[in-house]
Amino acid sequence: MKNNAFQLSGDVSYSFSDYFKLNNEVEDIVAFFGYDFDKQSYLLPQSTVVLDRLEDLILRLNENLLYASMNSEIARREFLIAPVISEIIHYTHSKVKIEYPLSVSEHLKGYLDYLLQQQQHLLVIEAKKADIEQGFLQLAVELIALDKWLEQDTVLLYGAVSTGDIWRFGVLNRQTKMIVQDVNLFRVPADVEDLLRVVIGILGE
């Protein structure tokens, strides 16, 4: 691991959302917590389940994009992200926690927009109005907090940052302390089938 110039003061409190405002590189901030970072075309899980409600979901998403104003994070969460999560619940019966409070330390605390859990599998989703890159920085810190908080021995922790119409995934390997940013983007509604198959694959069919 390379030397890291980024430091946080021990007596200054940082919430997850504070990291979104920083101009530092992701690799420097995760290195502060003892993790490595890489970007690559990551081979995400892919479910082969029959998506029997896919056409209806695409229709609803297209209607929402046509008629709903998407100029706020709240609007994107309600009209683009929530319909996708509803479909994920249908296929996986996962438990979904919204605005889930998590506190590990003064540097690792805040609220997770969505935490999806299915037995030993989980996915954290960070919703943003815009700026996927900065959103991923916040997501990376949230994955680190989850790693330190979880007692179960799940090796891979998955996360996604989404503006509703664009999704990007990240993976934290708890054994190697490596966070990988998938360089691929999923666009909604164009890639919604692929997106569903990835999320269902992560959570287990």
Side-chain angles (χ1 to χ4, degrees), residues 44 165-167 169 182 184-188 191 194-195 198:
L44 293 162
D165 53 351
I166 300 175
W167 292 63
F169 286 87
D182 183 18
N184 301 298
L185 297 173
F186 294 80
R187 302 184 184 278
V188 172
D191 303 324
D194 293 334
L195 174 64
V198 166

Side-chain angles (χ1 to χ4, degrees), residues 16-72:
F16 298 141
S17 58
D18 288 328
Y19 291 93
F20 179 75
K21 306 168 188 175
L22 298 180
N23 293 321
N24 302 81
E25 296 292 332
V26 177
E27 59 185 313
D28 293 332
I29 290 182
V30 302
F32 171 78
F33 293 104
Y35 294 75
D36 289 313
F37 175 73
D38 190 25
K39 292 182 180 181
Q40 59 182 258
S41 183
Y42 192 87
L43 185 60
L44 293 162
Q46 288 278 347
S47 170
T48 58
V49 69
V50 176
L51 302 175
D52 57 337
R53 309 198 312 187
L54 181 62
E55 290 185 7
D56 179 65
L57 173 62
I58 293 173
L59 178 63
R60 283 186 287 127
L61 289 170
N62 276 312
E63 287 178 342
N64 290 346
L65 283 167
L66 283 171
Y67 299 111
S69 172
M70 299 295 171
N71 60 1
S72 70

Side-chain angles (χ1 to χ4, degrees), residues 16 33 35 102-105 107-110 112 139-150 157 172 174:
F16 298 141
F33 293 104
Y35 294 75
L102 180 62
S103 181
V104 176
S105 69
H107 294 156
L108 294 171
K109 64 180 182 178
L112 306 179
L139 175 68
V141 175
E142 292 172 354
L143 287 172
I144 291 171
L146 277 173
D147 180 29
K148 296 180 180 299
W149 175 71
L150 284 174
L157 301 180
L172 187 155
R174 302 177 76 187

Side-chain angles (χ1 to χ4, degrees), residues 68-83 98-99 113-114 127-130 162-164:
S69 172
M70 299 295 171
N71 60 1
S72 70
E73 180 184 313
I74 282 273
R76 290 174 175 270
R77 288 176 63 166
E78 291 186 2
F79 289 103
L80 295 177
I81 298 176
I98 302 172
E99 293 294 319
D113 287 342
Y114 302 95
K128 290 299 178 191
K129 175 185 174 183
S162 174
T163 58

